[in-house]
Amino acid sequence: MNKEINGLIVSKILYKELNKYLLKKDIIPKVVDISIGNDFGGQMYAKMKEEKITSNTLIDFVSVHFDSMQIEELEDYIISINQDPTITGLMIQLPLPDNLRSEERRLLDMIDPKIDVDGLTSLSAGKLSVGDISLVPCTPLGIETLLKVYDVSLEGRKVAIINRSNIVGKSLAQLMLRNNATPIICHSKTKNLSKVTSDCDIVVVALNKQEFITADYIKDGSVVIDVGVHKNKEGKTVGDIEFDEVYKKASLITPSIGAVGPMTICMLAYNAAKSVYGKEIDNLLEEGIMKAKELIKTKK
Amino acid sequence: MNKEINGLIVSKILYKELNKYLLKKDIIPKVVDISIGNDFGGQMYAKMKEEKITSNTLIDFVSVHFDSMQIEELEDYIISINQDPTITGLMIQLPLPDNLRSEERRLLDMIDPKIDVDGLTSLSAGKLSVGDISLVPCTPLGIETLLKVYDVSLEGRKVAIINRSNIVGKSLAQLMLRNNATPIICHSKTKNLSKVTSDCDIVVVALNKQEFITADYIKDGSVVIDVGVHKNKEGKTVGDIEFDEVYKKASLITPSIGAVGPMTICMLAYNAAKSVYGKEIDNLLEEGIMKAKELIKTKK
């Protein structure tokens, strides 16, 4: 049996569903993704998002790059996009350059929550917490979707989340709670991390340390999700987990390429549609998950 | 050594600090607490808040009761209070009566977040999640304060929270994270709860089941916080934990009266001041905690 979770196949099915839906609609979502400065990873990622969403969906996705920007310029730009009725989604690529970084929270919160397709405003975080319909950060949403497609039972199960950022860990904890799982939010200060994680049924790793999580951190039969992406000395892409060793113990595992990454971008497309069509897109995603689940079952 | 946490003493010190602060200020906070319908517990609690805050602080706290209310009336009332410059805090006693309950979230979110002294709006929840200055729900804030006063080390320690509501469990998880603890959010679907909790250094119980948590749920030396309040068959007030048995194993424990309850109301007074004076009140609370800590040390 193949234990590897395939996010590429899942995302393809979900893109297809989304396009079928959008074809019947008058308004096609239009997203602006602002990136500023010369952070190499950030620029690469901005280009990839544009390329993937444009090639896979009907969504109009525009990556706008600025070599540098003063804070007042960015403020004015955000306001102008909020007011532009033709733009239905706005996101700002992080990290911001040095001159803007200390104001990151305030700048993100200038985004109109209705078009906050990255789910990073305070109001989006709050709505997720209180259980309201909201735009949810894409990486945790992609992880929840993969777990559902692969029929991973969540109710009552212990989920270790190694990350406490809003964009990944805290939001994922909210999603795990809404599936009746028991989340444990771990981070750099957590004592005896391997003892905590090896006691959990599901382990989600986003600590951004190359191949840090060895087989000792994992109990037999657990489900392991790896958010990390690194290039190792040999130029090979690896994750936060030592894949080959962890693979032997896990019942399901994500490779560092082709699992969480494509799902994150796919969920961005769903969020872009949700900012226009609201709860209908949640239903569409649930239907897509059912279809992907069927396909995965026949492939097992 | 007395293992019982004394929230009454702590709240008295904190009230004193708050009053000293307010005496020097021009604006005295004015809070309106709306209660509707005939929920006995809710009405009792509304009266108690008014009585305690009025007798212990300079704050102008007004409990306004309506036997019944149509949704439009409540909406208009909230709007009028939001617009009244003399009122600096607004809270709505839960549970709402049947005719309003399905709209609870929308009604709470009509409260201007600036005067949301109960910390129950979506925006307050979001700000807490992203780490912004915000009005934090009073019970978790009171628990965090008690743990600080009693010098409970939080960094790296595992904290089981048996509650996943926004008003208690989820907000407390955020507060534990900001203290570098590792929170585990448990609830009715958590499997093997006693195994989870007996592996934790700190256990916070808010499951609203009379004396449900026995000594089996607790490991030796742990800190146990009980949010539950019940009257038992003999008319005695008991909590969610079986106090006498758990007491023997705990290193610190809250009695069901005189610990979390008074701290919750005391934190409401601090929130009332914070809605007027902002971050200064966070600093005031930190200073009060230091004073209470000294006093508690000398009493040990």
Side-chain angles (χ1 to χ4, degrees), chain A residues 35-239:
Chain A
S35 73
I36 308 161
N38 51 17
D39 181 76
F40 181 72
Q43 278 191 59
M44 285 283 288
Y45 186 50
K47 271 183 200 154
M48 191 170 72
K49 281 182 281 188
E50 184 175 34
E51 197 271 308
K52 296 287 182 198
I53 291 195
T54 309
S55 63
N56 284 303
T57 77
L58 300 166
I59 293 165
D60 188 0
F61 192 96
V62 189
S63 178
V64 183
H65 181 76
F66 300 89
D67 289 331
S68 70
M69 216 171 191
Q70 293 306 307
I71 196 154
E72 299 77 15
E73 292 176 286
L74 179 54
E75 288 169 1
D76 291 345
Y77 193 63
I78 294 170
I79 292 168
S80 73
I81 292 182
N82 283 341
Q83 292 172 344
D84 184 337
T86 70
I87 298 171
T88 61
L90 170 59
M91 54 198 292
I92 301 173
Q93 175 67 42
L94 302 179
L96 288 170
D98 291 346
N99 69 313
L100 303 172
R101 202 166 299 170
S102 66
E103 295 290 306
E104 180 184 299
R105 172 46 47 200
R106 188 175 65 74
L107 290 164
L108 288 174
D109 278 337
M110 285 187 68
I111 298 173
D112 180 349
K114 289 191 198 73
I115 64 170
D116 171 30
V117 290
D118 238 356
L120 293 188
T121 61
S122 297
L123 188 63
S124 295
K127 284 184 160 202
L128 178 60
S129 181
V130 302
D132 219 345
I133 295 173
S134 64
L135 293 160
V136 176
C138 305
T139 299
L141 191 58
I143 293 170
E144 183 194 38
T145 301
L146 281 180
L147 293 172
K148 284 181 178 175
V149 168
Y150 278 82
D151 219 2
V152 175
S153 128
L154 290 169
E155 180 155 315
R157 299 184 85 191
K158 281 205 281 187
V159 183
I161 300 166
I162 316 181
N163 184 294
R164 59 169 155 171
S165 72
N166 215 60
I167 197 168
V168 180
K170 285 179 173 180
S171 300
L172 184 61
Q174 302 286 358
L175 299 185
M176 292 299 99
L177 282 172
R178 77 181 183 188
N179 286 283
N180 292 325
T182 301
I184 306 176
I185 309 172
C186 307
H187 45 81
S188 58
K189 305 287 190 208
T190 297
K191 283 178 192 155
N192 242 323
L193 181 61
S194 65
K195 192 170 169 291
V196 175
T197 56
S198 61
D199 196 36
C200 286
D201 309 298
I202 298 157
V203 180
V204 179
V205 187
L207 44 54
N208 200 22
K209 283 185 183 171
Q210 185 178 316
E211 297 180 299
F212 184 89
I213 298 296
T214 59
D216 296 342
Y217 285 75
I218 304 298
K219 79 171 175 189
D220 280 323
S222 59
V223 175
V224 183
I225 307 288
D226 189 355
V227 180
V229 182
H230 314 269
K231 282 252 184 262
N232 73 5
K233 272 188 268 177
E234 291 80 42
K236 193 188 153 205
T237 300
V238 296

Side-chain angles (χ1 to χ4, degrees), chain B residues 8 61 77 135 167 177 220 230 300:
Chain B
L8 268 177
F61 191 97
Y77 193 62
L135 293 160
I167 197 168
L177 282 172
D220 279 324
H230 314 269
K300 265 182 190 168

Side-chain angles (χ1 to χ4, degrees), chain A residues 10-41:
Chain A
V10 176
S11 67
K12 273 190 185 148
I13 297 166
L14 296 177
Y15 281 132
K16 197 174 150 192
E17 293 301 306
L18 182 60
N19 286 330
K20 277 199 293 188
Y21 175 90
L22 290 176
L23 271 171
K24 287 180 273 171
K25 294 286 177 181
D26 291 334
I27 304 168
I28 294 299
K30 179 174 180 177
V31 176
V32 170
D33 180 18
I34 306 174
S35 73
I36 308 161
N38 51 17
D39 181 76
F40 181 72

Side-chain angles (χ1 to χ4, degrees), chain B residues 1-11 142-152 202-203 222-226 243 247 250-263 296 300:
Chain B
M1 195 194 116
N2 188 358
K3 298 198 240 175
E4 277 191 42
I5 290 176
N6 191 328
L8 268 177
I9 290 184
V10 176
S11 67
I143 292 170
E144 183 195 37
T145 301
L146 280 180
L147 292 172
K148 284 181 178 175
V149 168
Y150 278 82
D151 219 2
V152 176
I202 297 157
V203 180
S222 59
V223 175
V224 183
I225 307 288
D226 189 355
F243 186 82
Y247 183 88
S251 64
L252 272 174
I253 185 168
T254 57
S256 58
I257 295 183
V260 174
M263 286 304 294
I296 294 295
K300 265 182 190 168

